[in-house]
């Protein structure tokens, strides 16, 4: 479907104003495909007609539907499995030693989409019950998409979704097949909660996280907003915490707040020079007192 320059610019500006995401020229091709469902539902025949309808401010729901459709909610269980192996072998043992006295871990899955990443994190703990017995594990999944967060909170996956990334043993161990679909076990649910949030916005008094996953989110920001996102992440992290971004992303040369961990692509810790900028350890999210064991 042809997208004129004017229509492209209007739609790109709408997405950026609502989410901060930059719809680059290279992603222009997605517009027609992403919005095809809206066209069918509303009887719209072309992009220019859509833009005219968006100009009518009474169509607020249409604008929100367009934004939701343009967001990339692609996700699946154990996406980039090698990254989760890195968490299991390098990051979680380090945090287990550092937090041995309190036996508490807080993890933030930023850009969690429909919840598969956060639930995969929960499975890492559930698969090692003896190691994490008596621990309080609190995994917070956030996403700017209201539609995605509602799906994550519903926690019900189709046969196609459950098979993406999971073997039969994992499916049967951690999920229950119901009439609605595949639902996470109680052991996973008690570790995970979901909340709509824009990573670019100040969260006020924030919970400090031991580990932050922000994978394949920064790709959609321009330089200024990417820097803003790094600032928000740093504010939300403990001084000795860990940051994991996507394998195709980098913080090197993009921010002075984080330094790469040698030999581990996508893995970062706070840069020593940035620790002077710490904020006080207050909490916006209530901390759960439930164990993974």
């Amino acid at each position: 479907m042809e997208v004129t320059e004017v229509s492209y610019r209007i739609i790109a500006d709408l997405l950026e104003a609502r989410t901060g995401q930059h719809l680059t020229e290279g992603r222009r091709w997605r517009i027609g495909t992403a919005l095809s469902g809206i066209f069918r539902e509303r009887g719209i025949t072309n992009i220019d007609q859509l833009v005219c309808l968006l100009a009518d401010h009474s169509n607020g729901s249409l604008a929100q539907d367009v934004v939701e459709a343009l967001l990339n909610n692609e996700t699946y269980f154990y996406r980039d499995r090698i990254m989760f192996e890195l968490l299991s072998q390098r990051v979680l043992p380090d945090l287990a030693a550092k937090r041995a006295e309190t036996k508490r871990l807080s993890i933030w899955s930023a850009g969690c989409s429909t919840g598969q990443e956060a639930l995969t994190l929960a499975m890492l703990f559930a698969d090692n019950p003896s190691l994490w017995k008596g621990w309080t594990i609190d995994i917070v999944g956030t996403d700017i998409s209201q539609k995605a967060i509602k799906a994550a909170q519903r926690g019900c996956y189709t046969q196609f979704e459950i098979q993406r990334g999971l073997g039969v043993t994992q499916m049967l161990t951690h999920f229950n097949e119901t009439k609605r679909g595949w639902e996470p076990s109680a052991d996973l649910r008690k570790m995970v909660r979901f909340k709509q949030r824009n990573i670019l916005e100040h969260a006020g008094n924030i919970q400090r996280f031991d580990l932050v996953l922000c994978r394949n989110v920064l790709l959609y920001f321009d330089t200024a907003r990417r820097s803003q996102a790094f600032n928000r992440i740093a504010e939300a992290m403990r001084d000795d915490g860990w940051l994991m971004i996507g394998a195709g992303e980098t913080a090197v040369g993009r921010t002075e707040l984080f330094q790469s961990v040698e030999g581990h692509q996508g893995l970062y810790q706070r840069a020593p020079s940035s620790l002077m900028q710490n904020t006080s350890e207050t909490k916006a999210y209530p901390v759960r007192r439930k164990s993974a064991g």
Side-chain angles (χ1 to χ4, degrees):
M1 182 178 295
E2 183 180 355
V3 181
T4 65
E5 183 63 29
V6 172
S7 293
Y8 159 67
R9 191 68 268 157
I10 290 173
I11 291 173
D13 288 347
L14 172 65
L15 178 66
E16 190 165 4
R18 294 287 184 95
T19 71
Q21 293 192 14
H22 185 49
L23 187 63
T24 63
E25 184 68 33
R27 295 173 63 212
R28 182 170 175 168
W29 65 270
R30 286 194 68 246
I31 294 178
T33 303
L35 301 183
S36 60
I38 294 176
F39 284 14
R40 290 192 300 270
E41 292 170 6
R42 295 179 179 257
I44 299 172
T45 58
N46 58 65
I47 298 290
D48 292 335
Q49 181 187 359
L50 171 68
V51 168
C52 289
L53 291 172
L54 288 172
D56 181 354
H57 295 295
S58 65
N59 279 317
S61 64
L62 175 61
Q64 184 59 35
D65 287 348
V66 168
V67 169
E68 287 277 357
L70 290 172
L71 293 173
N72 185 0
N73 291 321
E74 168 67 8
T75 186
Y76 51 89
F77 295 102
Y78 282 96
R79 186 180 185 184
D80 300 325
R81 185 172 286 266
I82 192 172
M83 304 298 275
F84 288 97
E85 292 174 357
L86 181 56
L87 290 176
S88 294
Q89 298 168 11
R90 179 73 173 89
V91 177
L92 294 185
D94 174 79
L95 290 175
K98 289 177 177 176
R99 308 292 186 258
E101 185 175 345
T102 62
K103 289 192 173 184
R104 305 179 68 88
L105 282 182
S106 294
I107 302 174
W108 178 19
S109 171
C112 70
S113 186
T114 49
Q116 284 91 324
E117 179 178 85
L119 289 168
T120 301
L121 288 167
M123 280 185 267
L124 297 183
F125 295 99
D127 284 338
N128 291 279
S130 60
L131 177 62
W132 300 105
K133 184 177 181 179
W135 282 70
T136 298
I137 307 298
D138 188 26
I139 302 170
V140 182
T142 69
D143 200 281
I144 195 171
S145 170
Q146 183 181 63
K147 182 178 179 181
I149 286 297
K150 285 184 176 180
Q153 291 171 336
R154 188 165 58 248
C156 188
Y157 300 95
T158 65
Q159 188 69 36
F160 172 75
E161 291 171 326
I162 200 69
Q163 289 180 317
R164 292 191 72 193
L166 294 182
V168 174
T169 300
Q170 289 174 310
M171 289 167 51
L172 298 178
T173 300
H174 297 299
F175 291 83
N176 302 308
E177 187 176 13
T178 70
K179 292 181 179 179
R180 297 197 313 151
W182 289 83
E183 300 182 351
S185 67
D187 285 344
L188 297 191
R189 284 185 179 276
K190 70 182 180 182
M191 286 186 269
V192 181
R193 54 205 172 99
F194 297 100
K195 180 182 180 73
Q196 186 179 9
R197 176 181 169 186
N198 186 342
I199 193 175
L200 298 177
E201 296 176 352
H202 281 288
N205 294 329
I206 54 177
Q207 177 177 347
R208 303 292 292 280
F209 294 97
D210 304 290
L211 168 63
V212 177
L213 276 73
C214 185
R215 302 191 305 149
N216 307 312
V217 174
L218 304 175
L219 295 169
Y220 302 110
F221 296 138
D222 59 20
T223 300
R225 286 188 171 87
R226 189 179 296 117
S227 177
Q228 186 179 351
F230 278 124
N231 289 339
R232 299 292 87 80
I233 292 170
E235 291 171 356
M237 284 179 61
R238 292 189 180 276
D239 295 346
D240 59 352
W242 296 82
L243 167 65
M244 176 173 279
I245 60 178
E249 300 172 302
T250 182
V252 177
R254 307 291 177 86
T255 178
E256 296 181 353
L257 296 174
F258 297 96
Q259 61 182 13
S260 60
V261 178
E262 187 175 356
H264 299 299
Q265 185 177 3
L267 197 57
Y268 295 83
Q269 289 187 297
R270 291 289 299 276
S273 59
S274 73
L275 298 180
M276 299 295 292
Q277 305 172 23
N278 285 341
T279 56
S280 60
E281 294 195 16
T282 51
K283 301 170 183 174
Y285 301 115
V287 176
R288 288 184 172 179
R289 298 188 178 276
K290 293 184 179 179
S291 169

